[in-house]
Amino acid sequence: MPPPDAGPARAENARALASSIATQSPRALARAATQIENRTPEARALLRELFPRTGRALVVGITGAPGAGKSTLAGALITEWRARDKRVGVLAVDPTSPFTGGAILGDRIRMMQHHADPGVFIRSMATRGRLGGLAAATSDLTLLCDAAGFDVVLVETVGVGQDEIDVARLAGITVVVLVPGMGDSIQAIKAGILEIADLFAINKSDREGAAQLEQELHAEAPAIPILRTVALEGQGVPELLDAIEAARPTEQRRVLLWRWRLREMLLERLSSRIAEDQLTAAAESVASGARDPFDIVEEWTRTSPRHN
Ligand SMILES: Nc1nc2c(ncn2[C@@H]2O[C@H](COP(=O)(O)OP(=O)(O)O)[C@@H](O)[C@H]2O)c(=O)[nH]1
Ligand SMILES: [Mg+2]
């Protein structure tokens, strides 16, 4: 339980941090991002401060199979947006790799050219087995970038399962990246990715099979624009960027996003009332026949919340 004066002090700190974020201080941004990822009470106070300054950024999801070229494409898009004087935040979420290995490290190297640029903010996150919380954290990080005045927030996720689709759902515009000759187009559609795709990018179009994949995609989803890219060479990237900007999110999409987000916030808030050991103790009492699970949940949803 925090001391009784924690609330006002927290609100004051949040206001101070929010002002530093408005001036685009990289240190303030990094500090705020860490608090948001750790789901601290400070982060919640900060987000309340920041929310009125949000609503301007274009949030773009980039999803697709591992190795499709999402990070390379993100890097090329950043270069193009910077050339057009736009500030870009990048949130790279990769549940397939631990912090120190694989794709995250590769992403760091691919994004290196942008690291010294104050017009670009990059955050890489491994999931460490907390996908639900990750979607919430990523969503809150997009609010942070938005409030800090970034014009565009790119969210890179690996499109492999329902949880990743949840992460992709928080974007206003979602680009699904596919590659020729991997036979992944139909699979992607089956995995429910079609439901969230606003644009298809056929990356690695320097390889054989791009035309065939384009035909297949068009047959499956005639209404979704298809662009061919060679991310490594920046080919097709200005056209992709134009298509992204032309596909501004609809009101319906924004309602869907907030519907999903509000439910996430409610679940996160409710489950934060119950400590892990409390949950274990309750489970033990039900398992042993001492208590009724329905009574327990009644009690938990009636008691006053913890002060955070
Ligand atoms: N031939 C070719 N290779 C590419 C292209 N784009 C990316 N790659 C390569 O594909 C590999 C995976 O790229 P990466 O961006 O890490 O994919 P991610 O896992 O989807 O983020 C890297 O070796 C890239 O250099 C492209 O357009 N053509
Ligand atoms: Mg990547």
Side-chain angles (χ1 to χ4, degrees):
M1 194 67 81
D5 63 344
R10 186 174 292 149
E12 204 172 299
N13 288 341
R15 266 193 295 278
L17 187 51
S19 317
S20 310
I21 284 160
T23 66
Q24 300 164 357
S25 145
R27 282 192 55 204
L29 262 172
R31 228 177 84 213
T34 301
Q35 290 185 355
I36 287 170
E37 280 181 50
N38 293 335
R39 318 305 294 146
T40 65
E42 286 75 16
R44 192 181 297 159
L46 174 68
L47 287 161
R48 291 191 76 145
E49 280 294 321
L50 293 177
F51 188 75
R53 306 181 202 198
T54 63
R56 219 181 48 84
L58 176 63
V59 182
V60 181
I62 300 186
T63 192
K70 299 177 297 297
S71 298
T72 312
L73 200 53
L77 283 166
I78 295 169
T79 303
E80 185 63 27
W81 260 307
R82 292 301 291 142
R84 299 185 190 189
D85 248 357
K86 304 281 191 193
R87 302 175 73 239
V88 188
V90 187
L91 310 173
V93 178
D94 195 340
T96 64
S97 70
F99 248 148
T100 49
I104 296 274
L105 189 62
D107 286 349
R108 288 243 168 89
I109 292 163
R110 271 185 274 289
M111 303 278 184
M112 203 89 93
Q113 53 166 326
H114 298 294
H115 261 295
D117 180 351
V120 179
F121 173 72
I122 298 172
R123 196 83 185 178
S124 295
M125 291 171 282
T127 65
R128 289 163 292 178
R130 310 175 303 141
L131 266 175
L134 189 83
T138 308
S139 178
D140 287 343
L141 287 173
T142 66
L143 290 177
L144 173 69
C145 291
D146 192 347
F150 289 94
D151 302 287
V152 181
V153 185
L154 283 182
V155 182
E156 178 190 337
T157 59
V158 179
V160 291
Q162 185 55 50
D163 293 318
E164 292 79 8
I165 288 171
D166 280 348
V167 177
R169 195 168 272 142
L170 59 84
I173 299 294
T174 298
V175 180
V176 174
V177 183
L178 299 157
V179 286
M182 267 175 61
D184 60 357
S185 60
I186 304 306
Q187 263 165 306
I189 285 159
K190 278 192 191 136
I193 275 182
L194 189 60
E195 176 202 335
I196 54 155
D198 298 291
L199 292 169
F200 286 124
I202 300 182
N203 191 42
K204 308 196 187 184
S205 281
D206 50 325
R207 289 188 183 170
E208 228 170 284
Q212 193 197 328
L213 177 55
E214 184 164 350
Q215 271 175 15
E216 281 172 27
L217 284 174
H218 184 72
E220 287 290 335
I224 301 177
I226 305 168
L227 288 106
R228 290 197 211 174
T229 57
V230 183
L232 268 183
E233 284 151 28
Q235 225 172 292
V237 173
E239 292 81 1
L240 176 61
L241 190 149
D242 289 339
I244 291 170
E245 297 221 321
R248 286 264 159 187
T250 60
E251 185 64 19
Q252 187 191 13
R253 177 69 162 259
R254 288 166 46 77
V255 171
L256 264 179
L257 162 65
W258 280 109
R259 205 178 174 283
W260 171 79
R261 193 63 192 100
L262 281 167
R263 181 153 39 204
E264 287 286 305
M265 286 167 77
L266 181 65
L267 290 176
E268 191 174 36
R269 182 66 78 95
L270 279 176
S271 54
S272 77
R273 288 181 173 192
I274 312 304
E276 286 300 313
D277 50 354
Q278 227 181 327
L279 190 65
T280 305
E284 283 167 358
S285 70
V286 176
S288 70
R291 289 209 60 189
D292 173 334
F294 303 100
D295 282 345
I296 292 175
V297 171
E298 271 301 314
E299 218 172 86
W300 282 347
T301 48
R302 228 187 293 123
T303 51
S304 63
R306 292 197 322 223
H307 296 280
N308 59 3

